Amino acid sequence: MQNIHPMFVHFPLALLSVGLLFDILGYFLKKQSLFSAGWWCFSLGVLSAIVTVFTGMQAEHTVRVTGEAHEILENHEHFQITSTVVFVVLGIWRSITREGMPKFAIIYFVIAAIAVGAILYGSHYGGELVYEYGVGTAVQPPT
């Protein structure tokens, strides 16, 4: 099967980051429309993160990773899976409250901000695999 992981990687990064921004703005500006925009971005971001994790797991079996790149791949995988699990839990928490924002919104924002930071940092490892080691490309990594 063809490696389709690169087609999905940018969606969770953009949607989860912008969703958090909309939620924070909605909280401080008391605008329900911003909460709604945040909810939709967050929800689509979580779904796209799940898809991206699964395509990444599939991609791992289609590429050749050796030496130092293998450790970077493990770091990338750890950050992305962990942050996606956190986003799923936050999504469940937010769905249960049925409000614009869960109770203890500040705690929610802190956890979401840490998870956004983790998914962005984990993505750095993915970029390093591609752009420094040529993983998944026809380019030969430097020796």
Side-chain angles (χ1 to χ4, degrees), residues 10-25 37-38 41-46 48 87 112-113 115-121 123:
H10 297 97
F11 289 103
L13 303 177
L15 290 166
L16 292 166
S17 300
V18 171
L20 178 61
L21 177 65
F22 282 147
D23 285 338
I24 291 171
L25 289 173
C41 286
F42 178 83
S43 298
L44 293 172
V46 171
S48 67
F87 283 120
V116 165
I119 206 167
L120 291 172
Y121 189 73
S123 297

Side-chain angles (χ1 to χ4, degrees), residues 86-103:
V86 171
F87 283 120
V88 168
V89 170
L90 287 174
I92 292 168
W93 179 21
R94 192 163 174 182
S95 295
I96 290 171
T97 63
R98 295 185 189 168
E99 298 172 6
M101 239 321 107
K103 291 183 181 179

Side-chain angles (χ1 to χ4, degrees), residues 7-102:
M7 294 182 346
F8 294 97
V9 297
H10 297 97
F11 289 103
L13 303 177
L15 290 166
L16 292 166
S17 300
V18 171
L20 178 61
L21 177 65
F22 282 147
D23 285 338
I24 291 171
L25 289 173
Y27 181 78
F28 287 110
L29 298 176
K30 309 286 189 238
K31 297 268 187 180
Q32 186 59 40
S33 60
L34 290 170
F35 280 133
S36 294
W39 166 252
W40 284 107
C41 286
F42 178 83
S43 298
L44 293 172
V46 171
L47 288 174
S48 67
I50 292 167
V51 169
T52 303
V53 164
F54 281 110
T55 62
M57 291 173 154
Q58 178 269 330
E60 186 176 8
H61 302 292
T62 67
V63 297
R64 200 177 93 187
V65 181
T66 59
E68 188 180 320
H70 184 70
E71 182 179 336
I72 293 169
L73 175 65
E74 292 298 317
N75 290 334
H76 172 64
E77 186 175 30
H78 171 76
F79 272 97
Q80 304 314 63
I81 290 172
T82 302
S83 58
T84 298
V85 168
V86 171
F87 283 120
V88 168
V89 170
L90 287 174
I92 292 168
W93 179 21
R94 192 163 174 182
S95 295
I96 290 171
T97 63
R98 295 185 189 168
E99 298 172 6
M101 239 321 107

